[in-house]
Amino acid sequence: MQKQPKSTQWSLYQKEIANDNYFYGRSCIRQNFFPASEKTFLKILREELGKTVLEDPNHTTCTGIGYHSDVVPFDTTQTVVARQFSLMTAMGLKNMALSCITSFGLYTEILDTWHHFPEQLAKIRELLYKATKREFELPENIAHASDVIYKFRNEIAQKAKYKLVNKETGEPLRVVEHIGCHYSKMFPQSGVGGAEFPQVLSGMVEAFGGEIVDYPERRHCCGFGFRNYLVQANRAYSISNTKKKFESMEPFKPDFIITNCPGCPMFLDRWQYAIAEMEGKTYDAQGKGIPVLTYEELAGMVLGYNPWDLGMQMHQIGVESLLDKIGVAYNPEDKYKDIHGNQLPVPECPASLRGKILDTKHK
Amino acid sequence: MVDYCAELEKDIRFQEGLKSCLNCGVCCAICPAAEFYNYDPRSIVTLVQQRNNEVIEQLLKSNTIWYCGQCMSCKTRCPRGNTAGMIIQALRTLSQQLGFFTESEKGRQQYALKKVVGENILNTGYCLCPTMVAPELHVEQGPMWEWVIANIDAVYERMGANYRKPGAGVLRKISDDALQELAQIFEVTGGKEFYKTIEDFSEKKAAEMNLDTTNGPMNDYLVHVYTTNSGTHSGNE
Ligand code: SF4
Ligand code: SF4
């Protein structure tokens, strides 16, 4: 077999991503920690790209966190997911766009299981009907919401107000990506570019003018590890694995980190803060921490949306260093205002010396 | 003695996860649990492959099966198509069904996971809610998160959420009808029974350990399993 040059290996894995008419599945974690990212995704799809994206308020958790914490049995999870399919079917839709990577991985796994074990699909149909009198059709297309932004990256780039370029030097920003494990590690063919060279985020970054920088632990888990974060006694696993990633990316001096999973950006953000507090260590030259963005924030930022509408005040590592590098216009005074423009109390500064310059409180 | 191998074989994830291991160790190189715990996915696969009932019983009672972080990185890398993470899921399910999980420190944590994530799913329709991430139990969330929780309604409103209100949108209140359907699904699929199994075995263990499970949501046993770390898990002790 002829060896493919690394940069084109991803082209072996091309997945089909639906063009329009999506059923949107929300994510428990993203709603909690990056609520404005979901709002931004819908705004970009509907207002910038003119797509139809519908949601059903009766959509619930897929139970994914409970499933991977081993308290929810597989049959239960499959039936809950079948119920989401039934909500989609009732709306006459066939394409799913899922906000969560855990859900995306689970849906993909469940469809694969039903494909290999048709008797299991029959059993789940029966269980769902028994529990809810609902029936469902299988989706024709399952995309993660980052796939959808990837698909329309060039359209977004055309409308963009900003490029991922350092306004002082004119050089492309150096970006490291972290792909959620369940995006394509279980089923490489379900992700753009497969498991080893996923293209979903690097394609966006390049379309928006930035440069993707490789680093050795690029494919290492962010350190969530379900029970390994959820149970306090286990959190050393989580912070240690995340630290391993920071140490690996530090020499490459990234301007920011981009992620597609709802949980990873939270861990990459919070554990940087915790390490700064515990050890006085930060992984950037200025001691401010490396900003961590969701793909919705990235797309919204290049489109010129107000960073505080994008929810970037919900990061512990301030994003101002990045906004300033690009020259994004923002009003520091508005960071901690409510929807009516009233000033809210301002978060405390982190206690440590290093923490003080994490931009928590804008001065 | 229960035929544990036969029980495991009934689990689709076990069937999918166990092909045959050539002991190459590739899975161990990417495994985040192997990085910091006295654990490696290769041993899991080679141990269950022996199909030795006594060995499996030991595993079911051990800390070992609770270290895996379910990232499924092992699936990508294994040249033989094994997935230690899926074998682990089958082992953990069986360990809980038989009550063996209460024999290990890490296994006992299932009580906290059931109480917190498990019950929240049925009570709210979400795996987690902002108020579950209490700042005093999550110092790593930092002052920004304290600010979110202290100004919760105003912050989520600013984010465009529909926090705890009826209708569509971010963090909306899930309707009673939808919660009822969720509860019915748990009922007919064995989810509720599984919760009860975890609870019953945990209460038995708590009694043995002289820890109370009745003094509130943060009861003595829950706090114990949620916070105890004997510091004996890395293999470097
Ligand atoms: S799923 Fe578990 S065993 Fe597999 S790589 Fe991840 S932590 Fe290791
Ligand atoms: S990668 Fe696969 S074959 Fe190699 S040791 Fe791990 S389970 Fe065995």
Side-chain angles (χ1 to χ4, degrees), chain A residues 112 185-188, chain B residues 12-24 26-27 45 49 72-87:
Chain A
D112 183 78
K185 280 181 176 172
M186 291 190 278
F187 298 95
Chain B
I12 284 181
R13 299 166 301 187
F14 190 81
Q15 295 170 35
E16 296 258 72
L18 182 61
K19 313 288 183 213
S20 76
C21 175
L22 64 100
N23 252 312
C24 66
V26 167
C27 51
V45 181
Q49 198 167 254
M72 301 298 172
S73 305
C74 45
K75 176 157 199 227
T76 310
R77 294 278 167 92
C78 176
R80 286 281 181 88
N82 298 305
T83 310
M86 291 173 92
I87 297 170

